[in-house]
Coordinates of all heavy atoms in Angstrom, one line a residue:
Chain B
E72 N 98.1 77.8 111.4 CA 97.3 77.9 112.6 C 96.9 76.4 113.0 O 96.9 76.0 114.2 CB 96.0 78.8 112.4 CG 96.4 80.2 112.7 CD 95.4 81.2 112.2 OE1 94.2 80.7 112.1 OE2 95.6 82.4 112.0
R73 N 96.4 75.7 112.1 CA 95.9 74.4 112.5 C 97.0 73.4 112.9 O 96.9 72.7 113.9 CB 95.2 73.7 111.2 CG 93.9 74.5 110.7 CD 93.1 73.6 109.8 NE 92.0 74.3 109.3 CZ 90.8 73.8 109.0 NH1 90.7 72.5 109.0 NH2 89.9 74.6 108.5
T74 N 98.1 73.5 112.2 CA 99.1 72.6 112.5 C 99.9 72.9 113.8 O 100.2 72.0 114.6 CB 100.2 72.5 111.3 OG1 99.5 72.4 110.1 CG2 101.2 71.4 111.5
Y75 N 100.2 74.2 113.9 CA 100.8 74.6 115.0 C 100.0 74.5 116.3 O 100.4 74.0 117.3 CB 101.2 76.1 114.9 CG 102.1 76.6 116.0 CD1 103.4 76.2 116.2 CD2 101.5 77.4 117.1 CE1 104.1 76.5 117.3 CE2 102.3 77.8 118.1 CZ 103.6 77.4 118.2 OH 104.2 77.8 119.3
G76 N 98.6 74.8 116.1 CA 97.7 74.6 117.2 C 97.7 73.2 117.7 O 97.6 72.9 118.9
A77 N 97.8 72.2 116.8 CA 97.7 70.8 117.2 C 98.9 70.4 118.0 O 98.8 69.7 119.0 CB 97.6 69.9 116.0
I78 N 100.1 70.9 117.6 CA 101.3 70.6 118.4 C 101.1 71.2 119.9 O 101.3 70.5 120.9 CB 102.5 71.2 117.8 CG1 102.8 70.8 116.4 CG2 103.8 70.8 118.7 CD1 103.9 71.5 115.8
A79 N 100.8 72.5 119.9 CA 100.6 73.2 121.1 C 99.6 72.5 122.1 O 99.9 72.2 123.3 CB 100.2 74.6 120.9
E80 N 98.5 72.1 121.6 CA 97.5 71.4 122.3 C 98.0 70.1 123.0 O 97.9 69.9 124.2 CB 96.4 71.1 121.4 CG 95.1 70.7 122.0 CD 93.9 70.5 121.0 OE1 94.1 71.0 119.8 OE2 92.9 69.7 121.4
H81 N 98.7 69.3 122.1 CA 99.2 68.0 122.5 C 100.3 68.3 123.7 O 100.2 67.6 124.8 CB 99.9 67.3 121.4 CG 100.6 66.0 121.8 ND1 99.8 64.8 122.0 CD2 101.8 65.8 122.2 CE1 100.7 63.8 122.4 NE2 101.9 64.4 122.5
V82 N 101.2 69.2 123.4 CA 102.3 69.3 124.4 C 101.8 69.9 125.7 O 102.1 69.5 126.8 CB 103.4 70.2 123.7 CG1 104.5 70.6 124.8 CG2 104.0 69.6 122.5
L83 N 100.9 70.9 125.6 CA 100.5 71.6 126.8 C 99.6 70.5 127.7 O 99.8 70.5 128.9 CB 99.5 72.8 126.5 CG 100.4 74.0 125.9 CD1 99.5 75.1 125.5 CD2 101.5 74.4 126.9
A84 N 98.9 69.7 127.0 CA 98.1 68.7 127.7 C 99.1 67.8 128.5 O 98.9 67.5 129.6 CB 97.3 67.9 126.8
K85 N 100.2 67.5 127.9 CA 101.2 66.5 128.5 C 101.8 67.2 129.7 O 102.2 66.5 130.7 CB 102.2 66.1 127.6 CG 101.7 65.1 126.5 CD 101.5 63.8 127.1 CE 101.0 62.8 126.0 NZ 100.8 61.4 126.6
M86 N 102.0 68.6 129.6 CA 102.8 69.2 130.6 C 101.9 69.7 131.7 O 102.5 70.2 132.8 CB 103.5 70.5 130.0 CG 104.7 70.0 129.1 SD 105.5 71.3 128.2 CE 105.8 72.5 129.5
A87 N 100.6 69.7 131.5 CA 99.8 70.2 132.5 C 99.9 69.4 133.9 O 99.9 68.3 133.9 CB 98.3 70.1 132.1
G88 N 100.0 70.3 134.9 CA 100.0 69.7 136.2 C 101.4 69.4 136.7 O 101.6 69.1 137.9
L89 N 102.4 69.3 135.8 CA 103.7 69.0 136.2 C 104.3 70.2 137.0 O 104.0 71.5 136.6 CB 104.7 68.7 135.1 CG 104.2 67.5 134.3 CD1 105.3 67.3 133.2 CD2 104.1 66.3 135.2
E90 N 105.1 70.0 138.0 CA 105.6 71.1 138.8 C 107.1 71.3 138.7 O 107.6 72.4 138.8 CB 105.1 71.0 140.2 CG 103.7 71.3 140.2 CD 103.0 71.3 141.6 OE1 103.8 71.0 142.6 OE2 101.9 71.6 141.8
S91 N 107.8 70.2 138.7 CA 109.3 70.4 138.7 C 109.8 70.7 137.3 O 109.3 70.3 136.2 CB 110.0 69.1 139.1 OG 110.6 68.4 138.0
A92 N 110.8 71.7 137.2 CA 111.3 72.2 136.0 C 111.9 71.0 135.2 O 111.8 71.0 134.0 CB 112.4 73.2 136.3
T93 N 112.6 70.1 135.9 CA 113.2 69.0 135.2 C 112.1 68.2 134.5 O 112.3 67.8 133.3 CB 113.9 68.1 136.2 OG1 114.8 69.0 137.0 CG2 114.7 67.1 135.5
Q94 N 111.0 67.9 135.2 CA 109.9 67.1 134.6 C 109.4 67.8 133.4 O 109.1 67.3 132.4 CB 108.9 66.9 135.6 CG 109.0 65.7 136.5 CD 107.8 65.5 137.4 OE1 107.5 66.5 138.1 NE2 107.3 64.4 137.4
L95 N 109.2 69.2 133.5 CA 108.6 70.0 132.5 C 109.6 70.0 131.2 O 109.0 69.7 130.1 CB 108.5 71.4 133.0 CG 107.3 71.7 133.9 CD1 107.4 73.0 134.5 CD2 105.9 71.5 133.1
L96 N 110.8 70.1 131.5 CA 111.8 70.1 130.5 C 111.8 68.8 129.6 O 111.6 68.8 128.5 CB 113.1 70.3 131.1 CG 114.4 70.3 130.2 CD1 115.6 70.9 131.1 CD2 114.8 69.0 129.6
R97 N 111.8 67.7 130.4 CA 111.8 66.4 129.8 C 110.5 66.1 129.1 O 110.5 65.6 128.0 CB 112.0 65.3 130.8 CG 113.4 65.4 131.6 CD 113.7 64.0 132.3 NE 114.0 63.0 131.3 CZ 115.3 62.7 131.0 NH1 116.3 63.3 131.5 NH2 115.4 61.6 130.1
T98 N 109.4 66.4 129.7 CA 108.1 66.2 129.1 C 108.0 67.0 127.8 O 107.4 66.5 126.9 CB 107.0 66.6 130.0 OG1 107.2 65.9 131.3 CG2 105.6 66.2 129.6
H99 N 108.5 68.2 127.9 CA 108.4 69.0 126.6 C 109.0 68.3 125.4 O 108.5 68.0 124.4 CB 109.0 70.4 126.7 CG 109.0 71.2 125.5 ND1 109.9 71.2 124.6 CD2 107.9 72.0 125.1 CE1 109.6 72.1 123.6 NE2 108.3 72.5 123.8
V100 N 110.3 67.9 125.6 CA 111.0 67.2 124.6 C 110.3 65.9 124.2 O 110.1 65.6 123.0 CB 112.4 66.9 125.0 CG1 113.2 66.0 124.1 CG2 113.2 68.1 125.4
M101 N 109.9 65.1 125.2 CA 109.3 63.8 124.8 C 108.0 63.9 124.2 O 107.6 63.2 123.2 CB 109.1 63.0 126.1 CG 110.4 62.7 126.9 SD 111.7 61.8 125.8 CE 110.9 60.3 125.6
S102 N 107.2 64.9 124.7 CA 105.8 65.0 124.0 C 105.9 65.6 122.6 O 105.1 65.2 121.7 CB 104.9 65.8 124.9 OG 105.4 67.2 125.0
V103 N 106.8 66.5 122.4 CA 107.0 67.0 121.0 C 107.4 65.8 120.0 O 106.8 65.6 119.0 CB 107.9 68.2 120.9 CG1 108.2 68.5 119.5 CG2 107.5 69.3 121.6
A104 N 108.2 65.0 120.5 CA 108.7 63.9 119.7 C 107.6 62.9 119.4 O 107.3 62.4 118.4 CB 109.8 63.2 120.4
E105 N 106.8 62.7 120.5 CA 105.6 61.8 120.4 C 104.7 62.3 119.3 O 104.2 61.6 118.5 CB 104.8 61.9 121.7 CG 104.3 60.7 122.3 CD 103.8 61.0 123.7 OE1 104.7 60.8 124.6 OE2 102.6 61.4 123.9
H106 N 104.4 63.7 119.4 CA 103.5 64.2 118.4 C 104.1 64.1 117.0 O 103.4 63.9 116.1 CB 103.3 65.7 118.7 CG 102.2 66.4 117.8 ND1 100.8 66.3 118.1 CD2 102.4 67.2 116.8 CE1 100.2 66.9 117.1 NE2 101.1 67.4 116.4
M107 N 105.4 64.4 116.9 CA 106.1 64.3 115.6 C 105.8 63.0 114.9 O 105.6 63.0 113.7 CB 107.6 64.5 115.8 CG 108.0 65.9 116.0 SD 109.7 65.9 116.5 CE 110.1 67.6 116.6
R108 N 105.9 61.9 115.7 CA 105.8 60.7 115.1 C 104.5 60.5 114.4 O 104.4 59.8 113.3 CB 106.0 59.6 116.0 CG 106.7 58.3 115.6 CD 106.6 57.1 116.4 NE 106.2 57.4 117.7 CZ 107.0 57.6 118.7 NH1 108.3 57.6 118.6 NH2 106.6 57.9 119.9
G109 N 103.5 61.1 114.8 CA 102.2 60.9 114.1 C 101.9 62.0 113.1 O 100.8 62.0 112.5
H110 N 102.8 63.0 113.0 CA 102.4 64.2 112.2 C 103.6 64.7 111.3 O 103.8 65.9 111.2 CB 101.8 65.3 113.1 CG 100.7 65.0 113.9 ND1 100.8 64.3 115.0 CD2 99.4 65.2 113.6 CE1 99.6 64.1 115.6 NE2 98.6 64.6 114.7

Side-chain angles (χ1 to χ4, degrees):
Chain B
E72 276 168 20
R73 295 196 185 208
T74 309
Y75 185 73
I78 305 174
E80 197 178 336
H81 175 85
V82 173
L83 290 178
K85 289 285 179 182
M86 288 171 57
L89 299 183
E90 289 183 356
S91 104
T93 308
Q94 274 183 306
L95 283 166
L96 178 168
R97 299 195 70 94
T98 306
H99 180 267
V100 173
M101 300 305 294
S102 63
V103 172
E105 221 172 271
H106 187 80
M107 281 171 179
R108 214 192 345 268
H110 302 81

